[in-house]
Amino acid sequence: MTAMRNQIRTLKGICTDVSSEGKGIVKSGKDICFVDGLFIGEEAEINVLYQRAGVYFGKVSKLIKQSKDRIQPKCKICTSCGGCQYQQISYQAQLEYKTNRVKNALTRIGHIKTKVNPCIGMDNPYNYRNKIQVPFQKDRKGNIVFGFYRENSHEIIPIKECAIEDKRAASILWDVKELLKEMNIPPYQEDTGRGILRYVLIRTSYHFDELMVVLVTSTMNFPGQRNFVDALVKKHPEITTVVENVNPRHTNVILGEKEKVLFGKGFIKDKILDLTFEISAKSFFQVNPVQVEVLYKTALDLIDKDTDKLVLDAYSGVGTIGLIAAKNAKHVISVEINKDAHKNAIENAKKNNVNNIEFYCDDAGKFISSFEGDLDVVIMDPPRNGSDEKFLSVLLNKKPKKIIYISCGPETLARDLEFLSKDYEVTYVQPVDMFPMTAHVETVVSLINKRYSE
Ligand code: SAH
């Protein structure tokens, strides 16, 4: 990557579309420029900052014509933190952008003509995140700061509160900072490798009054730890557990291997539909507790309610979808490549007394190619880069009647659907907004084997 941070040229133009990362697209002659915080229909003067793979990247220097959808963002740093690409446009417009992103990907990349339903949004699209992780540092003047990294950097932009995080997090973070100061516990400094506290991770339960604070530190048992935890829990009785996670390495990965429970049970519980899950510091858990139910319900409603079928839940994470699907199935087989998630999935089945499910820790493609027997329904929920030919070609051979594809990347979804469209008909496409204020969009797709649809 050759990224130059100084302005390399200026440009004036109209934004005609948005990229998959939520940047405004401006075309000028043969040149294409991706512009942060510029929206469809807007005209602007642009400082072009760098070029990558033949595309320019820039920032607005003067907004000439404003979109009718532009609103005042709730968060002052949304233009520099890079987390919320869409806070500056109305929620209705965000949903339209997302629906169109899915439509465009399906027609342009996948050549799929099926109708795309309007993206399902949230009643309150703010403060939805149940997990927040913030770095702590000392600024140039030696003051302790916490916040988010400026996009593509490790410089902290201090925050008071984040518009999409759970409301309970902000005052806890603030008091962590005050207690560090009072008790002389230094934050970690990346350049010297000295100091103690690196990150604070907060996980909240939506359905229960439970809240976890994870202190990510550079060494185990930092001096003053007992007093620090006592004081924090006293100020915030809503905290039900505190965990220390030790990450001594000089790395961008937030969590380390070793952990110690400093207060409470070391996990929190939450519910998705009828099932309860235990979530520890490192567990993967969907971050939008309201929309995950909408997403799963949308997907599971597409499966017949009879209980006589064999269901494969591929890319299953901690087993959530498969466990819920098991209620209306003879048997469910789940496959997930990550060992920790696989272990969590087995625990989750035990805790919820679901017995008609088996878990395999393997690559989905490898697993399914050696699987003998007929599959009735395949639920697949791969990461952003989509599935692979190995997995998809076995699906074409095995011919399950129905495939439910849950995707967090419309472009890779479209690519995979085109591959499957040889033998499958796409019958239903429903985008769901799991991440309001950002450019991300999740999509549920139903595919029926053409033997059954014709
Ligand atoms: N279905 C789950 C998780 C989806 S995230 C949920 O709703 O919460 C995608 C999952 O796919 C991750 O857990 C990731 O570890 C897993 N994964 C990635 N590549 C994989 C592969 N090749 N085979 C199986 N699982 C894979």
Side-chain angles (χ1 to χ4, degrees), residues 35-318:
V35 188
D36 292 332
L38 191 67
F39 303 103
I40 298 170
E42 295 191 325
E43 186 179 10
E45 281 173 17
I46 297 150
N47 279 339
V48 179
L49 299 174
Y50 61 97
Q51 189 186 20
R52 198 195 299 155
V55 177
Y56 291 106
F57 289 80
K59 286 203 181 295
V60 174
S61 58
K62 189 177 164 201
L63 192 58
I64 300 167
K65 188 181 158 217
Q66 186 170 311
S67 161
K68 63 171 182 8
D69 298 318
R70 200 175 259 274
I71 58 163
Q72 196 61 33
K74 278 204 177 189
C75 171
K76 286 200 186 75
I77 67 157
C78 76
T79 50
S80 38
C81 126
C84 291
Q85 301 82 18
Y86 287 168
Q87 257 201 57
Q88 298 171 86
I89 49 165
S90 72
Y91 190 48
Q92 194 49 44
Q94 295 181 27
L95 293 175
E96 282 163 22
Y97 279 21
K98 293 186 191 202
T99 311
N100 285 334
R101 179 173 163 202
V102 176
K103 266 188 201 162
N104 289 340
L106 258 51
T107 47
R108 286 182 201 162
I109 303 171
H111 308 104
I112 307 281
K113 292 194 189 81
T114 314
K115 172 180 164 234
V116 173
N117 290 315
C119 186
I120 306 176
M122 295 181 79
D123 289 341
N124 171 15
Y126 296 97
N127 303 107
Y128 60 84
R129 280 189 69 99
N130 60 11
K131 175 179 154 188
I132 171 170
Q133 39 204 22
V134 270
F136 277 71
Q137 272 177 12
K138 270 191 182 164
D139 67 10
R140 287 202 192 98
K141 292 183 195 142
N143 297 319
I144 298 174
V145 287
F146 67 88
F148 292 116
Y149 291 131
R150 189 178 293 283
E151 202 178 4
N152 303 323
S153 88
H154 270 208
E155 179 201 343
I156 285 185
I157 314 172
I159 49 160
K160 274 216 178 76
E161 59 187 329
C162 159
I164 58 171
E165 79 189 11
D166 188 295
K167 278 205 154 100
R168 289 168 282 185
S171 67
I172 296 175
L173 292 169
W174 201 256
D175 281 324
V176 166
K177 174 177 141 157
E178 291 302 304
L179 287 171
L180 291 177
K181 221 170 16 180
E182 269 170 39
M183 297 186 175
N184 242 327
I185 301 169
Y188 177 79
Q189 291 300 110
E190 278 185 347
D191 48 354
T192 61
R194 294 212 190 102
I196 309 276
L197 187 75
R198 300 184 69 154
Y199 297 90
V200 172
L201 186 154
I202 297 178
R203 303 191 86 142
T204 51
S205 171
Y206 184 76
H207 291 278
F208 302 99
D209 282 332
E210 298 194 0
L211 186 151
M212 171 193 284
V213 174
V214 183
L215 306 169
V216 185
T217 57
S218 55
T219 49
M220 187 64 96
N221 295 326
F222 61 86
Q225 188 179 73
R226 194 65 275 145
N227 291 342
F228 178 85
V229 173
D230 287 349
L232 185 64
V233 172
K234 203 166 164 206
K235 278 192 178 195
H236 291 279
E238 70 276 24
I239 299 175
T240 53
T241 188
V242 180
V243 174
E244 180 180 17
N245 173 287
V246 184
N247 187 356
R249 285 170 304 162
H250 190 76
T251 156
N252 280 344
V253 178
I254 294 179
L255 294 177
E257 288 293 314
K258 278 195 201 150
E259 268 180 22
K260 185 175 162 194
V261 178
L262 303 179
F263 172 75
K265 296 179 292 191
F267 60 86
I268 56 169
K269 291 196 303 305
D270 211 346
K271 255 172 52 167
I272 301 180
L273 299 170
D274 289 336
L275 300 187
T276 304
F277 298 95
E278 285 181 6
I279 306 153
S280 37
K282 281 192 228 162
S283 308
F284 171 84
F285 201 68
Q286 295 273 354
V287 299
N288 186 330
V290 176
Q291 290 299 85
V292 70
E293 295 198 335
V294 176
L295 181 79
Y296 284 6
K297 242 181 128 328
T298 304
L300 296 171
D301 279 353
L302 294 166
I303 306 175
D304 301 332
K305 291 285 173 279
D306 72 88
T307 52
D308 192 30
K309 51 190 173 303
L310 181 60
V311 176
L312 173 74
D313 174 18
Y315 309 90
S316 59
V318 294

Side-chain angles (χ1 to χ4, degrees), residues 284 286 296 313 315-318 320-321 335-338 341 362-365 381-383 388:
F284 171 84
Q286 295 273 354
Y296 284 6
D313 174 18
Y315 309 90
S316 59
V318 294
T320 38
I321 301 175
V335 55
E336 161 61 45
I337 206 163
N338 179 284
D362 205 343
D363 164 67
D381 183 10
D388 51 39

